[in-house]
Amino acid sequence: MSNPVPDQSSLLQPSVALPPAETHTVRGALRRPSILRREVVAGLVVALALIPEAISFSIIAGVDPRLGLFASFTMAVSIAFLGGRPAMISAATGAIALVIAPVARDYGVDYLIATVILGGAIQIVLGLLGVAKMMRFIPRSVMVGFVNALAILIAMAQIPYLVDVPWLVYPLVAFGVAVIVLLPRLTSAVPSPLVVIVAITAAALAAGWALPDVGDEGELPETLPALLIPDVPFTLTTLEIIAPYALAMALVGLLESLLTAKLVDDITDTHSEKTREAWGQGAANMITGFFGGMGGCAMIGQTMINVKASGARTRISTFSAGVLLLVLVVGFGDLVAQIPMAALVAVMIMVAVGTFDWHSVTPRTLRRMPKSETTVMLSTVVVTVTTHNLAIGVAVGVLVAMTLFARRVAHLATVEREVTEVDGRPQARYTVTGELFFASSNDLYTQFEYADDPEHVVIDMAASHVWDASTVAALDSITYKYERKGKTVEIHGLNEQSLHMHGRLSGNLAAH
């Protein structure tokens, strides 16, 4: 898949040039102080952006903000060691919060933590079973829709911070956007998002402006997370309660994480271990649950801050984000609470701008792109934005793509009829061409002239391929219709695979 977020159309360019391939590793970064500094600073920027989001996701899940903040810390630190995609950020997310919110509401926090632990275990099993290999079945148009929808959701999430706020918020946000766009053209020494956060915070504190800040989002923890076992009965009843939510959490988390990993692969022109990422997400969620966190998965917004805005490429940035998040909220909570939301809104707005694939919606692209591809992309975007659930949007996009593909391929199967004489006997010869499966073979039987054909009929399948039981059933139906009229049918030219399927299934399917 080509890069779904073309660099030339993005306004959020990396603040540093891409390092050589060897500096994409932890060992290489540790040998280069400039690269190490970049990774740590990138982690600091991500940590600052994570705080209000983790708090807001905790509110969505209906739990104490500490559960979201602890989850972001443990997820980031764990995945830095366990994950297969360096520089990707995993933390508490809105998608996971939406899935597990009913558990906290109906059964309490202990059941929620048990759900997170079980969900992590399911992710480990799915990862070891090779679920990551299923990523190859997700079309590029779905990936583009996933990226565009996510950019829209990131932008929409900033709207509450721009409504019913002091007028000073608007010029500060505009100032932050301008700095992010213009500063990289002057210097790449420090990531522009960090400059925005520091500058706006310093100005607000110096001038004494009364602005919405991080502290307004919720209370920050004052202690470190502690190891715990959820206080739930270890019975089949408990399993019946949490299992459906744990499975949904596992699937949603894996889907978002693997899609984000693929996106980062394209942006960085590097390869990642998707299977390791899958079971690594599960292990990180189990660790998070045992430390009282609400669970999570990869976060594309913070990942884009890390990879695109700050130029991070190694696990050091992910590890730094988790550690610095905990240091900030526990050690410097009073100061962090005073960061104006305007600064973080400016950063996230530019993340949304940089994430959106602008090339995919240009008139030139829309004119040249097949309508089916555009339909798949738009359906993914519309469903995702409507449901606020990336997993549902991607699933719908894949289903639409499969349907349109089946419809398109179905028209490629053709049947040609020719009546000749063989050994003085009239014979009808049908040549079947194309790929035969449920969409193209369901009406196959209608293309034969049963009443007008002579007593001997030959069906030449040399230019076709039998893919499923629907096609075998269709051929059985054709043969049966001719036999009812006292005519004989011979099927010739089946390739080895088609012959095997036909021989195994013919005569053993439903009634004609």
Side-chain angles (χ1 to χ4, degrees):
M1 188 190 78
S2 59
N3 187 351
V5 188
D7 287 339
Q8 65 268 23
S9 64
S10 172
L11 297 178
L12 187 58
Q13 298 296 332
S15 339
V16 295
L18 283 176
E22 60 268 19
T23 61
H24 285 213
T25 65
V26 172
R27 180 178 298 179
L30 291 175
R31 292 175 178 176
R32 297 274 298 274
S34 60
I35 302 301
L36 179 60
R37 182 178 65 251
R38 178 201 66 193
E39 298 294 315
V40 174
V41 172
L44 174 60
V45 176
V46 171
L48 291 169
L50 274 174
I51 295 170
E53 292 216 0
I55 295 173
S56 63
F57 296 149
S58 300
I59 295 172
I60 291 174
V63 297
D64 189 287
R66 288 176 295 181
L67 271 70
L69 291 166
F70 288 162
S72 296
F73 159 67
T74 52
M75 284 292 297
V77 171
S78 301
I79 208 67
F81 294 96
L82 300 171
R85 174 62 261 178
M88 191 167 76
I89 304 298
S90 292
T93 62
I96 298 299
L98 288 171
V99 170
I100 62 178
V103 183
R105 182 185 65 241
D106 298 336
Y107 302 100
V109 172
D110 284 297
Y111 278 84
L112 179 142
I113 294 174
T115 301
V116 171
I117 295 172
L118 178 59
I122 294 173
Q123 287 180 326
I124 292 176
V125 173
L126 293 175
L128 295 177
L129 290 176
V131 70
K133 297 177 182 178
M134 300 296 290
M135 285 296 297
R136 67 180 183 271
F137 295 109
I138 297 181
R140 179 187 182 279
S141 51
V142 174
M143 274 296 298
V144 173
F146 163 79
V147 170
N148 290 348
L150 203 44
I152 294 172
L153 289 177
I154 292 172
M156 290 175 60
Q158 312 314 309
I159 294 177
Y161 304 114
L162 297 173
V163 177
D164 294 330
V165 294
W167 68 269
L168 194 56
V169 168
Y170 303 108
L172 289 176
V173 171
F175 167 77
V177 169
V179 169
I180 294 174
V181 173
L182 299 176
L183 184 61
R185 302 179 184 179
L186 302 176
T187 178
S188 59
V190 182
S192 54
L194 180 59
V195 173
V196 168
I197 294 171
V198 172
I200 293 180
T201 302
L205 293 178
W209 294 328
L211 299 172
D213 55 30
V214 171
D216 296 332
E217 299 301 302
E219 184 179 354
L220 300 179
E222 298 178 353
T223 60
L224 298 175
L227 190 65
L228 59 84
I229 302 296
D231 184 17
V232 297
F234 291 92
T235 62
L236 184 60
T237 301
T238 300
L239 183 62
E240 291 175 350
I241 292 172
I242 67 175
Y245 298 101
L247 178 60
M249 170 193 162
L251 295 175
V252 169
L254 283 181
L255 181 59
E256 288 203 36
S257 298
L258 293 174
L259 285 174
T260 304
K262 185 173 178 59
L263 177 61
V264 178
D265 288 352
D266 292 332
I267 292 174
T268 61
D269 292 325
T270 57
H271 177 70
S272 62
E273 300 177 44
K274 303 299 188 302
T275 296
R276 177 178 173 179
E277 183 62 40
W279 65 255
Q281 288 285 334
N285 268 308
M286 290 192 71
I287 294 171
T288 296
F290 283 119
F291 276 94
M294 57 175 277
C297 62
M299 300 186 73
I300 192 168
Q302 275 64 27
T303 298
M304 290 299 101
I305 292 176
N306 197 45
V307 174
K308 295 199 73 177
S310 302
R313 292 293 182 270
T314 75
R315 300 175 185 275
I316 295 174
S317 60
T318 307
F319 178 77
S320 299
V323 172
L324 292 174
L325 170 66
L326 191 64
V327 171
L328 288 171
V329 297
V330 175
F332 301 92
D334 293 339
L335 178 60
V336 170
Q338 298 181 66
I339 297 176
M341 288 303 300
L344 299 176
V345 168
V347 172
M348 297 308 295
I349 286 175
M350 291 310 300
V351 167
V353 172
T355 301
F356 196 90
D357 184 358
W358 298 100
H359 176 72
S360 67
V361 294
T362 60
R364 181 181 180 184
T365 300
L366 293 175
R367 284 195 301 267
R368 300 178 63 180
M369 190 68 65
K371 292 182 179 179
S372 59
E373 299 286 330
T374 302
T375 300
V376 171
M377 186 268 286
L378 291 176
S379 63
T380 304
V381 171
V382 170
V383 173
T384 301
V385 172
T386 302
T387 63
H388 285 242
N389 191 314
L390 292 166
I392 295 177
V394 170
V396 170
V398 171
L399 289 175
V400 172
M402 291 171 57
T403 303
L404 295 177
F405 175 77
R407 180 183 178 189
R408 184 166 63 250
V409 173
H411 296 295
L412 300 179
T414 60
V415 178
E416 295 182 359
R417 176 178 181 264
E418 180 185 13
V419 178
T420 59
E421 285 195 8
V422 178
D423 297 331
R425 296 170 52 197
Q427 172 183 287
R429 186 178 188 86
Y430 288 88
T431 301
V432 182
T433 304
E435 305 300 317
L436 300 177
F437 63 111
F438 63 90
S440 58
S441 62
N442 278 340
D443 62 348
L444 187 65
Y445 73 94
T446 65
Q447 302 185 53
F448 291 78
E449 300 183 16
Y450 305 98
D452 298 334
D453 280 341
E455 294 183 357
H456 189 60
V457 177
V458 173
I459 302 177
D460 184 0
M461 306 283 291
S464 62
H465 187 98
V466 176
W467 286 104
D468 61 4
S470 295
T471 302
V472 176
L475 292 174
D476 283 354
S477 178
I478 293 168
T479 302
Y480 179 71
K481 286 179 179 292
Y482 276 115
E483 289 176 349
R484 288 179 57 187
K485 296 183 179 297
K487 302 176 182 181
T488 60
V489 177
E490 294 181 17
I491 299 177
H492 294 172
L494 287 170
N495 58 40
E496 183 177 352
Q497 291 180 336
S498 300
L499 185 62
H500 175 72
M501 178 169 289
H502 185 265
R504 182 161 54 92
L505 298 179
S506 181
N508 296 312
L509 300 173
H512 303 291

